[in-house]
Amino acid sequence: MSGCSFLKIFAIAVVALLLFSCSRGTVSSGGPVSDTGGGGEVGSSGEIEEPDTTAHITVGSYNVWNIRMRKDYCDARNNKDSKWYFEGDGVFIDNDPRLWENSRKFIGKAIMGCGYDAFALTEIDDDNMKSDIQTVVKDAGGDYRWIFIPLDGLTGSDGYDVFAYDPEVFAAGKQGTRWLSDYNDGKSPTVYGISSGTNRKKWNDTDKHRTFSYVVLKHKLTGKSIMFCTCHGPLNDDWNTYAGENYIKSYVTDENRDGLPVIFVGDLNSCPYADRYANGCMYDRLKKFWKHAYSEADAAGLLSKDDRENPCTWVSQRGQKSMLKSADHPFKHQLDHIFYSSEFTLKAYRANRYVHNERYYMSESGYRNFFPSDHIPVVASFDF
């Protein structure tokens, strides 16, 4: 055979081999051949590896502290006769760090420090805060889609339950809200009626209309959906207990007809400790049918030293670092919670206190001893 004929035959063989490879899949440099017909990838051992169908998500909630209460405490700092006066407030500089205009950009940084795929916010109480929160999160590098559900069921003049989610991770579906009391049955306190076509009724608690709200989120990579819920619990212990025992679980059951996995987050004004202000009430009731992220993380050895020694999430009306931990009981100020159904595997939990001062308020600001809200965010990561 001549050299020329040999080269022709060799070239034809190479082309045939390449065509055969292309018909079988795509060759990636240094990697496995992926079969475009589905069924997983060929691993280094030659075995077919099924694609990962586990969803990995990070969620939580944050009470960002409404403008009105911030201003009330600021205005009263030199007036001991005011009901808003808090002992020691007179030492504040005139440019009070609690004012929304001074803290809002640090609220955005706090949210971005959590690494949320989805989260809920409490105390977005007017349209100014509604606009501001979207701006400061975006300025801090966030790209979220926002859902604002009016607490009054109508205009939003009463404030909003807020959800935000990463559009690269989730798509939003069905959403809704209910008041924590539908009728006056003799056990609940005074109930104020509101007409919105069905004459629904709600509780009014210190000018807060207490609601349960939810959104269905579909995880884009796996196609799995969850029911993501939030609630700002009533301050009154009897109301708080009654809502936890008689309404929240039944609401979830009513709205979750597809039996989706549930994550429930929020400032519940309820803690694992009994005292006259915030006792176990709603916390105790919800633990009967859902898992509690902090408790499960503690049992599994997932907590950091800081979170284990100081589980508190409420910093008091001062918003001051030194007041985060209660002297009475370590759990007295743990008001913000994450509950979840059994379909989830908890991978991590933390309260975002880990670099408080320097991260939120730079030293030159004069605010180094303060958090940007009277609460700190809570964060949990799950597989499902």
Side-chain angles (χ1 to χ4, degrees):
M1 180 184 294
S2 68
C4 183
S5 298
F6 175 80
L7 289 175
K8 287 181 179 179
I9 293 171
F10 180 77
I12 291 171
V14 170
V15 170
L17 179 61
L18 288 174
L19 289 173
F20 177 77
S21 298
C22 289
S23 70
R24 296 284 295 170
T26 304
V27 179
S28 60
S29 175
V33 178
S34 60
D35 190 338
T36 57
E41 294 185 346
V42 179
S44 58
S45 65
E47 298 291 328
I48 298 295
E49 296 178 351
E50 294 300 324
D52 184 9
T53 58
T54 301
H56 313 279
I57 60 172
T58 297
V59 300
S61 73
Y62 191 13
N63 181 334
V64 299
W65 205 12
N66 68 74
I67 291 177
R68 176 183 56 79
M69 289 189 69
R70 288 172 176 270
K71 188 174 185 302
D72 285 339
Y73 282 110
C74 179
D75 290 347
R77 66 188 187 275
N78 292 311
N79 179 10
K80 291 186 177 182
D81 294 328
S82 170
K83 70 174 183 177
W84 302 106
Y85 177 79
F86 198 77
E87 187 67 32
D89 276 2
V91 303
F92 275 147
I93 55 179
D94 288 340
N95 198 17
D96 196 311
R98 294 175 296 185
L99 290 174
W100 177 246
E101 55 265 33
N102 294 331
S103 67
R104 57 190 171 189
K105 71 177 180 179
F106 300 107
I107 292 282
K109 291 182 178 182
I111 290 171
M112 291 308 299
C114 294
Y116 288 134
D117 296 315
F119 59 94
L121 298 181
T122 300
E123 294 197 19
I124 298 294
D125 276 3
D126 59 28
D127 286 339
N128 289 329
M129 291 190 77
K130 176 182 175 182
S131 174
D132 283 350
I133 195 65
Q134 296 175 80
T135 298
V136 296
V137 171
K138 183 177 181 180
D139 289 347
D143 181 19
Y144 291 100
R145 300 295 179 267
W146 297 84
I147 298 170
F148 295 87
I149 300 178
L151 298 184
D152 63 358
L154 298 169
T155 64
S157 61
D158 200 32
Y160 300 90
D161 279 336
V162 181
F163 296 103
Y165 63 94
D166 184 339
E168 293 188 1
V169 178
F170 287 116
K174 180 184 176 184
Q175 63 194 55
T177 189
R178 292 193 185 189
W179 284 297
L180 291 185
S181 178
D182 285 332
Y183 58 91
N184 188 350
D185 58 2
K187 295 182 180 179
S188 53
T190 303
V191 178
Y192 298 80
I194 185 168
S195 176
S196 58
T198 58
N199 292 316
R200 292 180 295 174
K201 295 183 178 182
K202 63 187 182 304
W203 282 348
N204 180 314
D205 177 26
T206 62
D207 296 325
K208 295 285 182 192
H209 299 106
R210 305 297 180 168
T211 56
F212 161 87
S213 295
Y214 73 92
V215 60
V216 172
L217 296 175
K218 183 176 182 179
H219 190 255
K220 288 187 172 180
L221 187 61
T222 65
K224 298 177 179 180
S225 293
I226 66 172
M227 186 178 185
F228 190 43
C229 313
T230 192
C231 170
H232 189 191
L235 288 171
N236 179 285
D237 285 354
D238 291 336
W239 298 20
N240 194 295
T241 303
Y242 194 73
E245 189 161 8
N246 295 281
Y247 287 104
I248 291 186
K249 177 60 171 167
S250 65
Y251 286 174
V252 171
T253 301
D254 288 348
E255 299 291 345
N256 189 16
R257 298 300 177 89
D258 294 327
L260 300 177
V262 174
I263 295 178
F264 181 90
V265 303
D267 168 14
L268 302 185
N269 282 311
S270 173
C271 70
Y273 167 68
D275 80 331
R276 67 176 184 83
Y277 166 65
N279 62 34
C281 37
M282 189 183 290
Y283 166 87
D284 286 340
R285 273 58 181 181
L286 299 184
K287 278 198 73 175
K288 292 179 179 178
F289 42 84
W290 289 321
K291 295 182 178 181
H292 183 241
Y294 179 93
S295 302
E296 297 294 325
D298 189 18
L302 298 176
L303 294 178
S304 68
K305 182 175 182 290
D306 283 345
D307 278 309
R308 189 173 63 254
E309 294 180 353
N310 182 9
C312 299
T313 63
W314 181 61
V315 201
S316 86
Q317 299 92 333
R318 290 285 291 274
Q320 193 167 5
K321 170 193 170 187
S322 61
M323 303 190 75
L324 177 61
K325 190 170 185 176
S326 168
D328 298 335
H329 191 281
F331 286 96
K332 183 176 179 180
H333 292 170
Q334 189 188 57
L335 305 183
D336 304 83
H337 301 275
I338 300 174
F339 289 89
Y340 61 97
S341 58
S342 59
E343 294 90 344
F344 296 95
T345 299
L346 179 69
K347 307 301 289 185
Y349 169 92
R350 63 185 170 91
N352 188 19
R353 61 168 68 83
Y354 58 106
V355 249
H356 31 261
N357 306 342
E358 292 78 13
R359 174 67 63 86
Y360 300 154
Y361 293 122
M362 301 301 105
S363 56
E364 61 269 20
S365 71
Y367 300 159
R368 291 175 58 224
N369 290 320
F370 298 91
F371 290 96
S373 174
D374 63 337
H375 289 250
I376 54 177
V378 289
V379 191
S381 296
F382 298 98
D383 287 352
F384 74 102

